Amino acid sequence: EMLWRLFPGCKVVNAYGPTEATVYATKIEITPDLLSSSISLPIGLPKTGSQIIIEKEILSKKNNNATIKLMIS
């Protein structure tokens, strides 16, 4: 919130992407409302012309361990 007070009108963007994506795969504009309503930051939506598939494999129900794969096309 201090960022928006110091720099009114600025935009903050969370751009996420693994190395293989070269630049980014998903993005979302971060707003004060989003920050106050979220426990963690979302990775956002796929960039134009891309598709994102998130696959979760449960490794152990007892420990709630999982592997999560992000597939980009």
Side-chain angles (χ1 to χ4, degrees):
E1 293 174 0
M2 184 189 325
L3 180 68
W4 288 280
R5 281 197 307 266
L6 293 172
F7 304 99
C10 79
K11 286 188 178 183
V12 178
V13 177
N14 181 28
Y16 171 82
T19 303
E20 297 83 0
T22 307
V23 181
Y24 69 92
T26 65
K27 69 178 182 176
I28 187 169
E29 184 176 344
I30 306 302
T31 63
D33 289 340
L34 178 64
L35 288 176
S36 66
S37 67
S38 296
I39 294 172
S40 61
L41 280 178
I43 64 170
L45 298 173
K47 68 180 189 174
T48 303
S50 295
Q51 184 178 22
I52 300 294
I53 299 169
I54 299 173
E55 182 180 282
K56 181 177 179 181
E57 178 185 350
I58 304 297
L59 301 176
S60 168
K61 289 184 180 181
K62 180 179 179 182
N63 297 326
N64 200 23
N65 293 335
T67 297
I68 299 174
K69 298 176 186 174
L70 177 70
M71 294 172 272
I72 306 165
S73 66

